Amino acid sequence: MSVLNVDRRSAGMLPHVRIQPSRGLLDLDLASLWHYRELIYILVWRDVTVRYKQTMLGVAWAMFQPVATMLIFTAVFSVMGKIPSDGSPYPVFLYAGLLPWFYVSQALSRGGASLVGDAPLISKVYFPRLILPLSATMAPLVDLILAFVAFVGLMTWYEVVPTWRVLFLPLFVGLAATFTLAAGLWISALYVRYRDVGHILPILIQLGMFVSPILYPVSKVPESWRALYALNPVVSVVQGFRWALIPGFQVDFVVFLPSLGVVFVLLIGGLIYFRSMERTFADVI
Amino acid sequence: MSDVAITADRLSKNYRLGAGTVQHNTLRDHLMHRLRGLTRWSTGQSESDSSFWALKDISFEVKRGEVLGIVGHNGAGKSTLLKILSRITQPTTGTADIYGRVSSLLEVGTGFHSELTGRENIFLNAAMLGMRREEVRKKFDEIVAFSGVEDFIDTPVKRYSSGMYVRLAFAVAAHLEPEILIVDEVLAVGDASFQQKCLGKMEEVSRSGRTVLIVSHNMTVIEGLCERAILLEKGRVAKIGNTHEVVEGYADAIRDLAGTEIEARQDRDGLGEILLTRIEVLDGDKHPVAAAITGRETIIRMYYRCAKGKEFRNCRVSISVNGRKGQDLFVLSTDIVDPKPLTLRGEGYVDFIIPELPLTGGAYFFQSYIESNGHAQDWIKNVAPFSVLDADYYGTGKLCPPGWEANGVLIHYRWESDEGLSADAWPSRARAS
């Protein structure tokens, strides 16, 4: 939006803001983003607090949901026929995939709806709009941490001891966050314009679970589909999580490269698109 | 340059009609519009005819410490101007330079979350308005005291009454310490004593050398607080300068607007399924008159038209009278007099019969409001002028004292002195014959 340049000479010590039609393809205005950093923190806090207000279990839900999902799928597949899990116990294998998947799906749906969900804010108060998808992508990280605590319990139960690879976990969390932010920029900006997004998004997220190796290992994907499969960033996130958490889990990191490219393009494109749409958010929302 | 707070240079804002909510809220509509656009392009017609300028070439300067009023009708561009200055939306062309921290109170309570407690909402709201956490912590007690909701500070705001909610919200906003404060009609909220508190706060803000921009329909507030004002008309600056002159200009403009046909009015709010079509002023014999007379029986007749084939339950039809400065004098409403819900269908009218019109001579305005089931159907400010010819209300041979023309109401009373003198001020019954 506008450039916040602190020009102290022309007006004593007062900050000077020039309001004008925005130009430029990728003017991120990081200065205002930094200025409003407390708002990011407080919005994350709001999202987390509101989510578990007036619930009996409170934040325990963040653990209960993935554990319950894990139990359901484990039970279903023990009746329907076994799915290979690359050596480790299926519950551990499944949960290591559900962990990032719960984050990705949460971040996508909350990030996607972040602008429309806070429409009154957008039409009434100024702050860098980027803060909304950004904080909505960060809030589910709290749930991820809690769900991870449950995973520690699961590993203890199955006597799975993690190796030094677990130190690389933040890297894959970062990848998941970057991907969901990139997608969230597109989705949230499109959502402002087209309310269709609200209907399409849950379907896409549901589809996402099946085109990512959550319930099954990558080895089950037919060879001819692998090239296309490698473009899905969630594949890299899930494989990374399993590699970091399950000892002896084998991953071919070369397969990660296409999806990293996808995330990069999505992010740059998303930032440009978001910035160009931003100027009309308040008028259209 | 150092004494300038805001310089606006040819600010303009263009809205493309249909670019927003009306035409393409869905992908399909958008695609259809694109297709139509293609065909239109091939026939050489441009799209520019479907756009309008909400603001056009607005230039002005506000000195530091000045309190500037912005007046104008609905749709004159006041809100758009404030939105641009508070950076919510961008101008299409032109620039504005702002020196100092800006806080805008375009709507108090923005960003309040109903599930959070009062305490939590103070921090949330303050962060949204650009206040630092440190700052909020320092002023926390002061904010709570100002709002008067101490006992409920740890209760979720969804359990607050609307009055408490608004007071807390305003308390947060009032404790911001911006160099420039932008206010839009906040004074319309809360009870009288709270409004007084707010006015006091705004005067304090302006006295402390900070710059204030106020949008209000209430000319008394504008005249009381501002030295200078801007009158906007159809997105342009119609008048700028001394508040008194601008307010006069606004009153003239209202007269012009109120003279237009009600059916053609665009500046109305509500669902629009029930529309006010005409207002007539009648005398006691039900003859239409150009002006009512002080103290006489007067009938205000509101004609309405409902959407075809529909019936509306729980309706409320009301009309209020505004004085020459835009202040509300009194309201006549079907539901206050008769709690039985009103059902409207087709076309018709509602008469409000005032036995003894308690207004001094002068030029008043009506404001009309129709609702059904709690939803506003048609709300028009300054819907029509209402002229009253002065007459001897109390039957004493005297007219209203100077300065009170179209500026207050006449009531029944009596006075007594300790020396045993007394007089009744009852309207003369003799006049009715």
Side-chain angles (χ1 to χ4, degrees):
Chain A
M1 215 167 177
S2 327
V3 191
L4 181 87
N5 67 55
V6 183
D7 183 354
R8 289 175 194 286
R9 267 166 310 168
S10 62
M13 291 299 280
L14 294 176
H16 166 225
V17 175
R18 165 157 283 213
I19 291 168
Q20 58 190 2
S22 68
R23 303 181 186 85
L25 212 49
L26 192 57
D27 160 30
L28 272 182
D29 199 5
L30 290 172
S32 354
L33 215 53
W34 176 247
H35 184 78
Y36 278 88
R37 63 192 179 279
E38 272 191 5
L39 185 57
I40 302 180
Y41 160 79
I42 210 153
L43 284 176
V44 168
W45 165 83
R46 177 195 72 173
D47 285 357
V48 174
T49 316
V50 167
R51 206 169 148 73
Y52 300 109
K53 274 247 164 154
Q54 220 174 354
T55 60
M56 301 239 294
L57 293 185
V59 288
W61 279 112
M63 290 185 231
F64 189 71
Q65 279 183 328
V67 169
T69 312
M70 182 270 288
L71 289 174
I72 291 167
F73 279 118
T74 308
V76 167
F77 288 123
S78 70
V79 176
M80 301 287 287
K82 219 167 152 45
I83 285 186
S85 52
D86 292 2
S88 48
Y90 185 70
V92 174
F93 170 85
L94 179 61
Y95 199 90
L98 283 174
L99 208 53
W101 176 252
F102 262 83
Y103 169 72
V104 167
S105 60
Q106 280 294 328
L108 281 181
S109 60
R110 281 151 78 174
S114 59
L115 294 176
V116 172
D118 271 322
L121 273 188
I122 289 181
S123 52
K124 299 288 180 198
V125 209
Y126 167 76
F127 54 86
R129 305 315 188 194
L130 213 51
I131 283 180
L132 286 174
L134 194 63
S135 60
T137 317
M138 285 161 72
L141 286 174
V142 177
D143 305 52
L144 175 66
I145 292 167
L146 290 164
F148 185 75
V149 174
F151 185 68
V152 174
L154 193 69
M155 296 223 290
T156 320
W157 177 267
Y158 282 98
E159 292 172 356
V160 178
V161 182
T163 62
W164 53 269
R165 288 187 195 165
V166 77
L167 298 175
F168 285 87
L169 193 61
L171 209 66
F172 299 106
V173 174
L175 178 63
T178 315
F179 163 63
T180 50
L181 174 65
L185 290 175
W186 282 99
I187 299 166
S188 59
L190 281 166
Y191 199 176
V192 169
R193 197 97 203 219
Y194 311 106
R195 296 294 149 94
D196 308 64
V197 172
H199 301 279
I200 301 168
L201 191 58
I203 302 173
L204 287 181
I205 291 178
Q206 206 164 34
L207 181 70
M209 180 156 184
F210 295 103
V211 299
S212 309
I214 318 290
L215 304 173
Y216 54 86
V218 178
S219 54
K220 284 292 257 186
V221 179
E223 205 60 59
S224 53
W225 286 90
R226 292 273 171 89
L228 194 64
Y229 202 66
L231 291 174
N232 178 2
V234 184
V235 175
S236 300
V237 171
V238 170
Q239 290 293 85
F241 261 70
R242 288 198 174 126
W243 174 81
L245 294 174
I246 303 172
F249 191 87
Q250 296 302 315
V251 166
D252 180 7
F253 284 101
V254 180
V255 186
F256 280 30
L257 292 176
S259 68
L260 290 182
V262 167
V263 170
F264 182 74
V265 171
L266 214 54
L267 181 65
I268 300 300
L271 285 169
I272 294 173
Y273 182 67
F274 192 90
R275 299 295 298 186
S276 74
M277 295 301 289
E278 189 180 44
R279 64 193 78 159
T280 58
F281 282 166
D283 307 329
V284 178
I285 206 158
Chain B
M1 273 299 278
S2 65
D3 63 332
V4 174
I6 302 172
T7 319
D9 184 24
R10 281 166 295 145
L11 279 178
S12 302
K13 175 83 182 176
N14 185 274
Y15 282 110
R16 243 174 306 151
L17 290 178
T21 47
V22 192
Q23 277 187 1
H24 12 139
N25 242 350
T26 65
L27 270 172
R28 193 191 55 185
D29 288 348
H30 187 75
L31 294 175
M32 286 307 291
H33 186 79
R34 279 282 168 85
L35 281 176
R36 260 181 279 139
L38 281 177
T39 52
R40 195 181 313 168
W41 189 55
S42 61
T43 57
Q45 275 177 297
S46 80
E47 255 199 76
S48 62
D49 47 20
S50 64
S51 71
F52 83 104
W53 292 94
L55 284 182
K56 190 80 180 127
D57 293 328
I58 303 286
S59 301
F60 61 90
E61 202 178 79
V62 187
K63 297 257 185 297
R64 230 197 280 176
E66 190 175 20
V67 183
L68 181 80
I70 300 173
V71 299
H73 311 292
N74 288 353
K78 303 180 307 268
S79 299
T80 308
L81 179 60
L82 292 197
K83 278 187 176 179
I84 289 175
L85 293 178
S86 44
R87 297 208 283 163
I88 289 162
T89 185
Q90 289 192 345
T92 310
T93 58
T95 58
D97 287 285
I98 294 184
Y99 300 91
R101 259 211 317 175
V102 178
S103 286
S104 59
L105 310 181
L106 298 197
E107 194 178 276
V108 291
T110 306
F112 262 39
H113 199 292
S114 58
E115 295 287 342
L116 299 176
T117 66
R119 180 188 303 275
E120 291 166 336
N121 268 308
I122 289 179
F123 281 93
L124 176 65
N125 192 227
M128 278 166 187
L129 297 172
M131 222 198 278
R132 300 230 167 276
R133 244 181 319 158
E134 271 313 302
E135 229 177 301
V136 187
R137 233 171 251 144
K138 252 189 285 167
K139 291 186 189 158
F140 187 82
D141 293 335
E142 213 180 309
I143 293 176
V144 176
F146 188 84
S147 71
V149 299
E150 292 95 334
D151 296 343
F152 304 94
I153 199 67
D154 289 310
T155 308
V157 296
K158 64 181 172 186
R159 308 204 204 291
Y160 278 30
S161 71
S162 57
M164 285 158 68
Y165 187 93
V166 162
R167 290 208 304 271
L168 183 66
F170 188 84
V172 179
H175 286 80
L176 293 166
E177 277 180 2
E179 281 89 30
I180 301 169
L181 183 69
I182 297 181
V183 189
D184 189 359
E185 296 276 15
V186 259
L187 296 171
V189 299
D191 52 31
S193 73
F194 188 70
Q195 287 188 13
Q196 216 46 49
K197 220 167 167 182
C198 299
L199 269 176
K201 189 78 198 173
M202 285 186 18
E203 271 173 56
E204 190 189 310
V205 167
S206 65
R207 263 203 313 274
S208 65
R210 278 172 281 171
T211 314
V212 184
L213 256 67
I214 305 173
V215 162
S216 179
H217 282 109
N218 190 328
M219 293 306 117
T220 321
V221 170
I222 296 280
E223 283 192 321
L225 285 175
C226 312
E227 306 103 71
R228 235 156 52 93
I230 295 181
L231 172 63
L232 290 182
E233 255 172 48
K234 294 187 180 125
R236 290 164 193 273
V237 176
K239 215 164 197 167
I240 183 165
N242 173 288
T243 305
H244 188 68
E245 285 166 29
V246 172
V247 167
E248 292 288 302
Y250 179 56
D252 291 343
I254 289 178
R255 267 187 282 282
D256 293 346
L257 182 70
T260 62
E261 285 286 322
I262 293 172
E263 291 212 56
R265 290 282 286 269
Q266 296 299 315
D267 56 330
R268 54 210 310 161
D269 293 316
L271 299 174
E273 294 170 316
I274 308 173
L275 290 176
L276 178 79
T277 52
R278 199 149 53 95
I279 290 181
E280 254 177 20
V281 177
L282 311 172
D283 63 15
D285 303 324
K286 306 218 164 180
H287 294 308
V289 288
I293 299 172
T294 301
R296 300 281 171 88
E297 180 171 338
T298 305
I299 301 168
I300 301 162
R301 181 168 288 181
M302 294 173 73
Y303 290 87
Y304 60 83
R305 188 178 60 231
C306 301
K308 269 216 180 68
K310 285 183 103 174
E311 191 179 84
F312 298 91
R313 293 172 189 278
N314 296 323
C315 292
R316 172 149 76 108
V317 177
S318 76
I319 191 154
S320 62
V321 174
N322 296 109
R324 68 165 181 218
K325 288 177 178 172
Q327 76 272 43
D328 292 318
L329 294 179
F330 59 79
V331 61
L332 311 171
S333 182
T334 53
D335 64 325
I336 303 177
V337 183
D338 182 1
K340 272 205 307 287
L342 187 67
T343 301
L344 298 182
R345 69 182 78 77
E347 291 184 38
Y349 64 79
V350 173
D351 275 350
F352 289 101
I353 299 137
I354 308 169
E356 288 150 356
L357 185 69
L359 294 173
T360 56
Y364 298 83
F365 297 95
F366 288 128
Q367 182 173 162
S368 68
Y369 181 76
I370 303 175
E371 70 164 41
S372 70
N373 279 325
H375 295 290
Q377 285 286 2
D378 196 20
W379 177 24
I380 313 175
K381 289 176 186 162
N382 302 322
V383 60
F386 176 38
S387 12
V388 176
L389 298 175
D390 207 3
D392 178 7
Y393 187 73
Y394 297 110
T396 55
K398 295 206 168 139
L399 296 180
C400 90
W404 287 96
E405 299 90 355
N407 194 18
V409 291
L410 300 163
I411 59 165
H412 302 182
Y413 64 97
R414 54 181 275 117
W415 68 266
E416 291 174 359
S417 80
D418 62 345
E419 288 168 25
L421 298 171
S422 75
D424 282 333
W426 302 112
S428 157
R429 307 275 165 179
R431 214 171 33 227
S433 60

